[in-house]
């Protein structure tokens, strides 16, 4: 319904125009118009050869080109050149100047472009102009959604008559399609099909703003690769390299895929189960490109190949998955180039001569941003482009930069391969500025080495007379004393285990005398350990550095002594029972209270030891 509405709106406007065409334009006549529309890719290229005659007495210095507003919004590129006849295009004059024009008494639904002629046409004079108009998004998928097994059909709408404010004597139109398979097309008078070409005309004596609506519904399995945004960063290094980094956000804008995707079917029959899928992209890089890489957010992508010859370097890249209609992917490609191939000098300035558009074939770019990163210290910057672009500047901070590097930003929408022309960025740069970064590196290493030398030869120790040094010495003494206390406590615990072992031997052998000897030996050792602990505890009590840890040390000593007493009591009870021939339930009842307390005290002593050792 949207397509029909656009077409109806277009030709309703044309009907109104046919009744209000001003007579001021009647002096110019198009004696012959030969128009060719190329629909072999997603980019529609319309080439028109116009033979212009001046039938009036006044000289004519410009020719108007007309486009409907709904078609002009998709116009990406427009150029006009003089044709000398016999297929020869005049090179000396290059492209003719084209500006947007706004003729009076004509509605805004038509967009006019004025082509300036190299010299005014006198009465009866004529010349031939070749006009190339490139459109994007002019092919509409119809149906808009297809399955993996379906072919892709698109719809194209235009007029068989050349839309012009001038009368046309003779005109013809050729529509070139990618394949001979045509679903439907508009049949007018003098319509013929030759293979994959549809020819309309010739038509004679057409009035101004003549029109004949046509629509062609045909098969094309060419993928509609569109970069919704492309950011190209070109970084200049005067040490001999130009680094190019390109960030792509690509979507397939053909008929959207519906249903499930089967990779098995796609791999087995790719030309039947995914005929319109985007399998790969081909980028034509400069001939001496090096250090080429292709990656995305996940990492490096190995499905790429590079071929090179003296004229170009060709990079074939495959996405991680085939792109069907509506699917998208993001990736980055980068490569280095020799500086001498792109940077030149002119009148005391340096200028970069580099291509503007994407190196990928048949790629439409909705929004292209080109950033040229100049060396730090560049000034007096100017830009020259072959077509209008939005310009700006920013600053990029990189390694070893002080003020940052100036960045020239160029932005353009609706970019096609025809925009891949050379532009120039002029700037001034002092050669001495190249020594800034090496000098910074040398200075940095020099300062580092001097600092190391000073560090090795300067006494960085704390003065022995300072309060902090004395406090450190005192704390070291406290730590050593605590370690001695812990060592004595561990020896006591070792004797505890020996007492327990003597009880096990008693239950096994019944040797009471040996058990008494073990207890007597332990008593004597415990007394010695107690004597050793007294001076250590006295030192800790007198040291201000031990204030915080002293309570825990005293608690540890007290718990260990209580544990000694309980173990001795348990030991004595068991030995007495063995001497009195008491056993069984009564022995267990007498020992139970001692055993519970021993277990609890052992756990408390272990916890205190862990706490003190951590400190």
């Amino acid at each position: 319904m949207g397509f029909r509405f656009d077409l109806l709106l277009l030709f309703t406007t044309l009907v109104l125009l046919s009744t209000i065409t001003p007579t001021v334009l009647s002096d110019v006549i198009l004696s012959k118009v030969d128009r060719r529309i190329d629909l072999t890719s997603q980019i529609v290229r319309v080439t028109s050869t116009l033979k212009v005659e001046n039938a009036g007495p006044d000289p004519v210095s410009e020719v108007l080109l007309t486009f409907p507003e709904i078609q002009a919004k998709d116009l990406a590129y427009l150029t006009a050149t003089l044709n000398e006849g016999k297929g020869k295009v005049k090179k000396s004059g290059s492209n003719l100047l084209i500006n947007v024009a706004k003729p009076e008494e004509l509605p805004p639904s038509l967009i006019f472009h004025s082509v300036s002629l190299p010299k005014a046409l006198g009465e009866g004079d004529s010349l031939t102009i070749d006009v190339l108009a490139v459109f994007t998004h002019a092919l509409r998928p119809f149906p808009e959604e297809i399955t993996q097994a379906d072919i892709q059909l698109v719809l194209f709408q235009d007029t068989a008559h050349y839309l012009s404010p001038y009368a046309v004597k003779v005109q013809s139109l050729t529509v070139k399609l990618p394949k001979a398979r045509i679903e439907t097309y508009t049949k007018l008078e003098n319509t013929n099909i030759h293979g994959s070409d549809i020819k309309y005309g010739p038509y004679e004596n057409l009035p101004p703003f003549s029109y004949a609506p046509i629509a062609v519904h045909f098969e094309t399995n060419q993928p509609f690769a569109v970069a919704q945004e492309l950011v190209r960063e070109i970084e200049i290094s005067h040490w001999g390299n130009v680094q190019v980094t390109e960030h792509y956000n690509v979507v397939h804008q053909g008929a959207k895929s519906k249903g499930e995707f089967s990779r098995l079917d796609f791999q087995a029959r790719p030309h039947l189960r995914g005929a319109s899928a985007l399998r790969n992209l081909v980028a034509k890089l400069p001939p001496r490109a090096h250090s080429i890489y292709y990656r995305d957010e996940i990492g490096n992508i190995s499905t790429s190949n590079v071929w090179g010859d003296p004229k170009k370097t060709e990079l074939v890249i495959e996405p991680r998955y085939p792109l069907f209609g509506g699917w998208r992917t993001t990736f980055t490609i980068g490569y280095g180039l020799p500086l001498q191939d792109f940077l030149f000098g002119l009148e005391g300035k340096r200028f970069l001569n580099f291509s503007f558009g994407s190196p990928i074939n048949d790629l439409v770019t909705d929004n292209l941003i080109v950033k040229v990163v100049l060396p730090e210290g560049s000034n007096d910057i100017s830009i020259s482009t072959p077509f209008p672009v939005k310009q700006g500047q920013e600053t990029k901070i990189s390694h070893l930069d002080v003020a940052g590097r100036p960045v020239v930003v160029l932005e353009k929408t609706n970019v096609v391969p025809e925009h891949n022309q050379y532009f120039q960025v002029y700037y001034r740069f002092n050669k001495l500025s190249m020594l800034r970064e090496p000098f910074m590196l040398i200075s940095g290493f020099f300062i580092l080495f001097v600092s190391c030398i000073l560090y090795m030869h300067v006494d960085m120790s704390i003065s022995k007379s300072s309060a902090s040094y004395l406090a450190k010495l005192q704390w070291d003494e406290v730590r050593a004393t605590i370690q001695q206390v812990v060592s004595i406590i561990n020896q006591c615990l070792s004797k505890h285990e020996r007492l327990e072992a003597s009880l096990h031997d008693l239950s096994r052998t019944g040797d009471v005398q040996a058990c008494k000897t073990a207890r007597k030996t332990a008593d004597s050792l415990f007394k010695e350990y107690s004597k050793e602990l007294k001076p250590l505890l006295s030192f800790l009590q007198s040291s201000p550095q031990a204030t915080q840890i002293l309570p825990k040390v005293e608690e540890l000593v007290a718990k260990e002594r209580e544990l000694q007493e309980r173990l001795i009591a348990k030991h004595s009870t068991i030995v007495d029972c063995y001497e009195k021939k008491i056993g069984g339930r009564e022995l267990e009842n007498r020992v139970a209270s001692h055993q519970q307390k021993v277990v609890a005290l052992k756990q408390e002593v272990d916890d205190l030891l862990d706490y003190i050792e951590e400190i």
Side-chain angles (χ1 to χ4, degrees):
M1 291 300 293
F3 304 152
R4 296 178 181 176
F5 177 77
D6 290 344
L7 197 60
L8 179 62
L9 179 62
L10 166 62
F11 294 115
T12 301
T13 303
L14 296 178
V15 169
L16 296 175
L17 285 172
S18 64
T19 63
I20 61 172
T21 303
T23 58
V24 69
L25 301 177
S26 62
D27 290 344
V28 176
I29 296 176
L30 301 181
S31 59
K32 185 178 181 180
V33 176
D34 184 13
R35 195 155 57 108
R36 298 168 296 280
I37 302 177
D38 187 353
L39 302 180
T40 57
S41 71
Q42 64 164 326
I43 303 172
V44 177
R45 295 176 172 89
V46 182
T47 304
S48 304
T49 301
L50 313 177
K51 187 175 182 180
V52 183
E53 292 185 3
N54 182 10
D58 298 329
V60 175
S61 60
E62 64 178 18
V63 176
L64 294 180
L65 306 177
T66 308
F67 300 95
E69 185 179 19
I70 60 173
Q71 191 181 39
K73 65 182 177 62
D74 296 328
L75 179 62
Y77 184 79
L78 181 64
T79 183
T81 55
L82 287 180
N83 190 318
E84 294 182 332
K86 297 182 181 181
K88 296 181 180 180
V89 177
K90 188 174 181 180
K91 297 181 180 179
S92 59
S94 66
N95 294 340
L96 301 177
L97 181 63
I98 301 178
N99 293 311
V100 177
K102 295 182 179 180
E104 298 179 357
E105 300 180 2
L106 291 178
S109 57
L110 291 180
I111 305 300
F112 293 88
H113 294 265
S114 171
V115 180
S116 300
L117 302 180
K119 63 178 181 178
L121 286 180
E123 184 177 1
D125 292 341
S126 67
L127 56 75
T128 302
I129 301 174
D130 286 336
V131 178
L132 173 62
V134 181
F135 299 90
T136 60
H137 309 295
L139 298 180
R140 314 288 178 87
F142 192 74
E144 295 182 354
E145 295 184 352
I146 58 175
T147 65
Q148 183 179 350
D150 293 337
I151 61 173
Q152 180 175 253
L153 300 174
V154 297
L155 181 68
F156 175 73
Q157 299 170 329
D158 206 330
T159 171
H161 294 173
Y162 181 67
L163 181 61
S164 173
Y166 311 116
V168 179
K169 288 185 178 181
V170 180
Q171 83 108 46
S172 62
L173 169 65
T174 301
V175 180
K176 183 176 180 58
L177 305 177
K179 293 184 178 180
R181 177 176 177 179
I182 305 173
E183 291 289 308
T184 59
Y185 67 97
T186 303
K187 297 180 180 179
L188 302 176
E189 183 182 0
N190 295 338
T191 303
N192 298 291
I193 294 182
H194 298 279
S196 60
D197 293 349
I198 304 176
K199 294 187 177 181
Y200 292 93
Y203 303 110
E204 299 179 354
N205 300 321
L206 300 177
F209 298 107
S210 177
Y211 67 95
I214 59 171
V216 184
H217 190 208
F218 61 97
E219 174 188 351
T220 176
N221 289 317
Q222 296 291 331
F224 286 17
V226 177
Q228 293 183 324
E229 184 177 68
L230 166 58
V231 180
R232 302 186 73 205
E233 185 176 271
I234 305 164
E235 186 169 353
I236 301 173
S237 171
H238 281 187
W239 295 100
N241 188 60
V242 177
Q243 182 63 38
V244 182
T245 307
E246 301 176 354
H247 305 277
Y248 289 85
N249 182 2
V250 175
V251 62
H252 188 328
Q253 288 194 346
K256 293 183 178 180
S257 177
K258 67 178 181 179
E260 297 180 352
F261 166 66
S262 171
R263 180 169 285 275
L264 179 61
D265 290 344
F266 179 79
Q267 294 293 114
R269 295 178 290 176
H271 297 290
L272 296 177
R273 300 290 181 171
S276 62
L278 175 63
R279 297 174 178 82
N280 57 55
L281 296 168
V282 180
K284 292 184 178 180
L285 308 180
R288 300 174 65 186
H290 60 86
S291 304
I292 302 171
Y293 64 87
Y294 165 48
R295 59 178 174 81
D296 59 10
E297 294 179 352
I298 299 176
N300 184 60
I301 305 175
S302 60
T303 53
S304 61
N305 293 290
V306 178
W307 290 275
D309 58 40
K311 295 183 178 180
K312 68 179 182 304
T313 300
E314 192 170 274
L315 171 64
V316 180
I317 58 179
E318 296 183 15
R320 293 186 183 273
Y321 48 86
L323 292 184
F324 288 82
W327 294 15
R328 66 180 63 244
T329 183
T330 58
F331 59 88
T332 299
I333 62 175
Y335 49 93
L337 298 169
L339 182 67
Q340 62 269 23
D341 292 355
F342 300 93
L343 191 68
F344 309 94
L346 179 66
E347 298 178 355
K349 277 191 170 185
R350 303 167 189 257
F351 71 93
L352 174 75
N353 190 45
F354 210 83
S355 57
F356 181 79
S358 168
I360 296 180
N361 296 341
D362 294 327
L363 180 71
V364 174
T365 306
D366 288 342
N367 187 38
L368 171 62
I369 300 174
V370 178
K371 297 183 177 182
V372 181
V373 183
L374 302 177
E376 187 178 23
S378 302
N379 56 63
D380 194 11
I381 302 170
S382 59
I383 306 162
S384 175
T385 57
F387 37 77
V389 297
K390 182 181 177 181
Q391 300 182 10
Q393 287 193 21
E394 58 186 37
T395 302
K396 178 182 178 180
I397 302 295
S398 185
H399 53 276
L400 299 178
D401 287 344
V402 178
R405 307 183 184 189
V407 180
V408 175
V409 182
L410 308 177
E411 187 171 356
K412 186 171 179 59
T413 58
N414 213 12
V415 178
V416 291
E418 281 74 9
H419 287 116
N420 205 0
Q421 304 176 29
Y422 284 93
F423 69 97
Q424 295 77 38
V425 177
Y426 298 85
Y427 64 96
R428 294 186 186 276
F429 183 77
N430 191 341
K431 292 183 178 180
L432 293 178
S433 298
M434 294 181 61
L435 302 176
R436 178 184 303 170
E437 293 183 357
F439 178 75
M440 291 176 62
L441 286 174
I442 294 171
S443 301
F445 280 110
F446 177 77
I447 294 173
L448 175 63
F449 292 146
V450 170
S451 301
C452 292
I453 293 172
L454 293 176
Y455 176 79
M456 296 300 295
H457 290 78
V458 174
D459 185 9
M460 305 295 291
S461 61
I462 302 173
S463 174
K464 296 182 179 180
S465 61
S466 64
S468 57
Y469 180 76
L470 295 176
K472 181 179 180 302
L473 289 179
Q474 293 177 2
W475 173 245
D476 290 342
E477 292 179 359
V478 169
R479 288 180 57 189
T481 304
I482 293 174
Q483 289 176 359
Q484 294 178 21
V485 172
V486 171
S487 176
I488 294 172
I489 296 297
N490 287 329
Q491 293 178 27
C492 292
L493 294 178
S494 177
K495 298 304 176 184
H496 296 172
E497 293 176 359
R498 290 186 181 181
L499 278 178
E500 294 283 357
S502 67
L503 293 177
H504 288 293
D505 293 340
L506 176 62
S507 63
R508 182 170 52 87
T509 63
D511 190 354
V512 175
Q513 190 60 39
C515 194
K516 289 183 177 181
T517 302
R519 184 179 64 190
K520 185 176 180 181
T521 302
D523 285 337
S524 61
L525 289 175
F526 288 152
K527 291 179 181 179
E528 292 179 5
Y529 293 153
S530 179
K531 292 179 181 179
E532 293 178 6
L533 282 174
K534 287 183 179 180
L536 298 176
L537 291 175
S538 299
F539 171 76
L540 292 176
Q541 292 170 354
S542 62
S543 175
Q545 297 293 333
T547 305
Q548 295 183 352
I549 198 172
L550 180 60
K552 292 294 183 181
V553 175
E554 292 178 339
E555 183 180 359
L556 174 63
V557 174
K559 292 293 182 180
E560 194 280 328
R561 286 178 180 171
E562 186 178 355
L563 179 58
Q564 289 181 22
E565 295 173 357
R566 287 292 179 177
L567 279 174
I568 295 297
K570 173 185 173 183
H571 194 277
S572 300
T573 302
I574 294 175
V575 171
D576 291 344
C577 290
Y578 266 86
E579 288 180 339
K580 296 178 181 179
K581 308 297 183 179
I582 299 174
R585 179 69 63 181
E586 185 176 354
L587 175 61
E588 292 179 0
N589 291 336
R590 292 185 180 187
V591 176
S593 60
H594 296 297
Q595 182 62 28
Q596 292 177 357
K597 191 63 177 177
V598 165
V599 172
L601 288 171
K602 281 185 178 181
Q603 184 62 43
E604 292 180 9
V605 169
D606 289 340
D607 293 341
L608 288 170
L609 283 173
D610 292 340
Y611 176 82
I612 293 173
E613 287 177 356
E614 288 179 1
I615 295 177

